[in-house]
Amino acid sequence: MAQPAGGLWLLWAPILLLVAFSFNDSRRATAEWRGFTTGWYENIFSGVMGSEASFSTEEMLAAVRQSMTVSLLAMGLSAVLGTLVAITLVRHRFPGKSLLDGLLYLPVVIPDIAQGVSLLVFFSFIFNMLESVLGLKWYPGLETVIVGHVAFNISFVAIVVRARLANMNPRLEEAARDLGANEWRTFWRVTYPLLLPGIVAGALLAFTLSLDDFVVTFFAGGGNATTLTIFVYGMVRQTVTPEINAISTLMIGVSMVLILLSFAFQKDR
Amino acid sequence: MGFGECPAPIVGMIIRRNAEIGMSPYDVELINVTKEFAGRRGEAPVRAVDHISLQIRRGEFFALLGPSGCGKTTTLRMIAGFEDLTSGQILIGGRPMHNVPPFHRPVNTVFQDYALFPHMSALKNVLFGLEMESVSRKEAMARALQALEMVRLPTAANRKPKELSGGQQQRVALARALVKNPTVLLLDEPLGALDLKLRKAMQYELKEMQTRLGITFVYVTHDQEEALTMADRIAVMEGGRVLQIGSPEEIYEEPQTRFVADFIGETNFLTGTLRAHQADRAQVELADGQMVGALMPEPLAQPGDKVTVAVRPEKVTLHPVEGHGQAEATDPATVVLPGRLHHSVYIGTDMRHVVHLGETGAEIVVRAQNLGHRSEQRFHAGQAVTVRWAEDQARILRD
Ligand SMILES: Nc1ncnc2c1ncn2[C@@H]1O[C@H](COP(=O)(O)OP(=O)(O)OP(=O)(O)O)[C@@H](O)[C@H]1O
Ligand SMILES: [Mg+2]
């Protein structure tokens, strides 16, 4: 029993290795262990370049800002829309409901690359239409990346919020109406506060997925959006430097904290 | 005991509200109400409530009593406005309630599982209903605290529902509904989740408070004893229908159907053939040829029909057969049937004897008060006995 469980640690080997090398005192990012240093982390923020690295702190911080913009907006939009989808699915009956229920899992299961390509096709089509019909010239950029992220994040938010809503006692909303609250006040005074932990959990999940996304961003951005993942990819295409190891380690750390927070909110409070 | 003194403003408001309602002597009227739920795919719809008509008087404690699944909750939910009617009409205070949403109905509900808002303290729960009205914050606070005091919970005001015991939660639910000064309070098995002792205490308090405040209670229960002790009138339901409406005494003493007689307390049933019927008396021939008399106030059956005779165990007396098993002569208005004592059970205040009748083997239960006389010990299992009851204690029932 213990054997396969112990073997599971192998799954984490690449990540552990990455973290280890981010502290390795060697310019060659994938060589043998030469001793502990935090120098690469300092380099990231001080902008000091290694000889072979074309690294600029300013560019990186600009990428971080783009990432934040995309992730925050995608999170906010998908939190609202995902919650509405969840409420619609749980509380209302309409034709095609079970179909929509199933479609919810589509962004979860389809390959990122397929989603990325589909967005590329979609935006090209829309932009061509706009140009030929209205004469508007429009290019992919942060906006299209945000739309792309919302497209998959809605599902994750909706799934988390729906689970919470399905566990909610429907008598509570009836009690509110019985005590004189109309639909609007029932929602804001009873439904929303009780759903909030689920919404927050879904939003944190969406933020993390958005922050970590590369494929959808790459395709939907059309080369005009440089988020942190795109930035790192651009650097890796030249060579893997220890600074990249350090940035990646930081990204893993941030994502893990966010996901743990999301789980904490999903646990019943 | 009880909820303490009722704060004067609440009583005042209730009286005023009752005066405003106007002429209809009924607070709640159900006219031919039917509710069908759509069946699952391909299945027939479920008729939860089947042509029910009720007239609930102002200030009445009205119980809806029936076994699980008979449609009690559905009836209550239609009055509260949570379910649409399939057909029929509901009036509250003489006003038709069609298309009136729950938040505009002068009724409040105490839910079976209380449905307290888990994210609010007890006080916030009680305040909720007042915040939905245009009541000043100061007045709302005063009324909420009064209501909590009335249910004797002033110290628990700041606790969340999950920090309260079941009995305390029940009281908060009650306070939350009462603070709205409803014309009618709907209660769905409000004591169902409490242990026996607390339930008994709360029965007393609820009844006392209802009498004092003069609020109309529509009280759902499946506990016949609860209905009998608390209600002014009871509607006995089965399968979505109302079988009988009456005072506890009427329901108990004059059940009209076999179901009601069986559901409310214990009853002996004997089947036979109606032979004669005169005024309110009927003569029934049992399977073994014995003739017994019984009451039949309404002509439920014709001579020759199969009928059921019902008699309560406590109306039957048990007598030892002296000598050679010959029943001694008695007055003609008394039914005397020979049998054999099968067994006796001691149940504290009563003795419960089970007698198997002569040739038919039909079972008759006799309930005798345990007076502690030595005579009680005359009986032993297997002994030849007679059971007797006065003819006018037995009734012919509809099946
Ligand atoms: N929403 C619903 N959809 C379908 N059927 C329902 C629905 N609500 C109730 N029913 C059915 O209607 C019938 C009456 O239900 P109801 O809840 O009114 O019974 P009840 O008398 O309150 O029973 P209990 O004592 O168990 O609470 C039952 O057969 C139940 O299965
Ligand atoms: Mg019920």
Side-chain angles (χ1 to χ4, degrees), chain A residues 93 169 171-183 185-186 189-191 193-194 269, chain B residues 77 80 82 102-103 107-109 111 113 115-120 128-129 131-132 176-177 180:
Chain A
R93 284 180 153 202
N169 180 0
R171 298 289 100 74
L172 294 176
E173 285 166 317
E174 284 174 1
R177 299 206 297 148
D178 188 71
L179 293 166
N182 57 22
E183 316 287 339
R185 294 176 108 174
T186 298
R189 291 292 307 273
V190 175
T191 318
L194 292 173
R269 286 207 319 167
Chain B
R77 288 173 58 79
F82 300 134
F103 48 92
V107 301
N108 287 106
T109 307
F111 292 83
D113 58 1
L116 296 177
F117 305 126
H119 57 302
M120 301 181 196
F128 185 92
E131 287 167 1
M132 298 302 131
R176 185 176 70 171
K180 297 279 288 179

Side-chain angles (χ1 to χ4, degrees), chain B residues 73 112 188-189:
Chain B
T73 297
Q112 179 163 14
D188 193 355
E189 308 207 18

Side-chain angles (χ1 to χ4, degrees), chain B residues 23-46:
Chain B
M23 300 322 291
S24 172
Y26 301 113
D27 260 353
V28 182
E29 279 178 89
L30 275 69
I31 304 164
N32 238 339
V33 170
T34 294
K35 174 68 190 181
E36 285 179 355
F37 290 106
R40 270 177 297 156
R41 196 159 294 181
E43 282 174 33
V46 181

Side-chain angles (χ1 to χ4, degrees), chain B residues 84-397:
Chain B
D84 293 331
L85 280 59
T86 304
S87 66
Q89 201 185 14
I90 291 181
L91 309 179
I92 298 179
R95 257 176 61 210
M97 285 293 121
H98 185 62
N99 280 340
V100 178
F103 48 92
H104 284 149
R105 297 191 182 202
V107 301
N108 287 106
T109 307
V110 176
F111 292 83
Q112 179 163 14
D113 58 1
Y114 312 141
L116 296 177
F117 305 126
H119 57 302
M120 301 181 196
S121 67
L123 179 63
K124 287 265 170 60
N125 265 278
V126 178
L127 275 172
F128 185 92
L130 296 175
E131 287 167 1
M132 298 302 131
E133 296 173 14
S134 46
V135 175
S136 76
R137 192 174 288 211
K138 224 172 122 196
E139 190 197 331
M141 185 59 86
R143 276 169 65 182
L145 289 173
Q146 260 176 4
L148 281 173
E149 212 162 291
M150 186 161 70
V151 297
R152 296 194 286 134
L153 260 189
T155 54
N158 291 319
R159 284 199 244 154
K160 292 272 179 72
K162 66 165 179 279
E163 296 159 0
L164 298 171
S165 73
Q168 290 172 324
Q169 290 180 25
Q170 207 278 330
R171 286 158 192 269
V172 175
L174 199 59
R176 185 176 70 171
L178 283 174
V179 80
K180 297 279 288 179
N181 291 324
T183 310
V184 181
L185 191 65
L186 309 174
L187 304 100
D188 193 355
E189 308 207 18
L191 308 181
L194 306 182
D195 64 55
L196 186 65
K197 207 168 164 199
L198 190 53
R199 193 155 73 224
K200 293 280 176 218
M202 286 301 294
Q203 280 176 8
Y204 174 82
E205 290 190 16
L206 273 177
K207 175 67 184 171
E208 191 267 339
M209 192 173 57
Q210 187 269 337
T211 316
R212 188 156 40 83
L213 298 182
I215 299 178
T216 307
F217 270 32
V218 184
Y219 190 102
V220 162
T221 178
H222 62 251
D223 179 345
Q224 45 110 1
E225 201 183 316
E226 190 164 287
L228 288 176
T229 53
M230 297 176 83
D232 296 322
R233 284 195 306 152
I234 300 172
V236 183
M237 293 181 64
E238 193 220 3
R241 290 169 173 276
V242 170
L243 299 181
Q244 191 172 349
I245 302 175
S247 67
E249 199 181 337
E250 282 165 352
I251 297 278
Y252 188 84
E253 301 290 345
E254 298 159 24
Q256 282 163 11
T257 63
R258 185 172 173 140
F259 180 86
V260 173
D262 204 22
F263 191 71
I264 314 286
E266 197 177 13
T267 307
N268 292 303
F269 297 111
L270 294 169
T271 47
T273 312
L274 187 70
R275 286 297 172 221
H277 179 212
Q278 201 172 44
D280 65 349
R281 292 302 157 112
Q283 291 296 318
V284 176
E285 186 184 341
L286 300 182
D288 58 0
Q290 291 256 15
M291 292 293 281
V292 299
L295 283 180
M296 187 165 73
E298 288 163 72
L300 301 171
Q302 298 298 316
D305 288 353
K306 286 259 174 265
V307 291
T308 298
V309 180
V311 58
R312 297 280 186 194
E314 70 273 16
K315 315 283 191 199
V316 184
T317 55
L318 187 65
H319 304 265
V321 175
E322 317 289 353
H324 304 289
Q326 287 300 104
E328 66 271 43
T330 44
D331 97 80
T334 302
V335 174
V336 181
L337 296 174
R340 207 162 276 284
L341 182 63
H342 188 259
H343 66 269
S344 303
V345 181
Y346 170 75
I347 40 173
T349 55
D350 286 1
M351 288 294 290
R352 188 173 179 277
H353 307 285
V354 177
V355 175
H356 286 184
L357 290 188
E359 285 155 41
T360 61
E363 204 176 87
I364 289 281
V365 175
V366 183
R367 224 169 151 134
Q369 214 182 343
N370 184 5
L371 298 170
H373 296 327
R374 293 206 158 270
S375 61
E376 295 290 332
Q377 287 153 15
R378 285 178 305 181
F379 299 110
H380 53 86
Q383 176 182 353
V385 291
T386 58
V387 289
R388 301 179 194 177
W389 62 83
E391 268 183 20
D392 58 5
Q393 298 291 358
R395 300 178 66 86
I396 308 283
L397 296 183

